[in-house]
Amino acid sequence: MSTAEKFIVLPFRKNRGNLVPGEMRQASNAVSAERIASAMASRFVGVAAYAVMVDEESGDMSSPRLLAKHGEIADLNAA
């Protein structure tokens, strides 16, 4: 199993009182992920930048590590 660290930005919205994730964006590195999250922050209830481990064969993501947080976000580790 080959894994690689990837950087993602995940915006959150409110839907019927619940926090729901929006469309995930990929970033090239941690600094870029933090910048994208900061730029998106004014348009969403919350935005988070994460470093995740991705299984390159299946595309499964694991071990999210929070890099930056703006506003209200959901806990990716709770599932």
Side-chain angles (χ1 to χ4, degrees):
M1 179 169 98
S2 178
T3 60
E5 186 174 50
K6 303 283 183 178
F7 303 95
I8 61 169
V9 178
L10 197 55
F12 291 89
R13 308 177 186 276
K14 286 275 189 173
N15 184 15
R16 298 182 184 182
N18 296 319
L19 206 54
V20 293
E23 187 175 330
M24 177 177 50
R25 291 188 55 183
Q26 192 165 336
S28 55
N29 57 50
V31 172
S32 177
E34 291 174 26
R35 282 192 189 131
I36 292 167
S38 181
M40 294 172 69
S42 65
R43 299 190 311 267
F44 295 93
V45 170
V47 181
Y50 295 97
V52 295
M53 296 308 294
V54 177
D55 179 326
E56 294 185 327
E57 292 176 18
S58 69
D60 291 340
M61 289 188 267
S62 63
S63 307
R65 181 170 48 91
L66 185 63
L67 301 173
K69 166 187 162 174
H70 300 276
E72 198 176 341
I73 65 169
D75 182 5
L76 290 188
N77 291 314

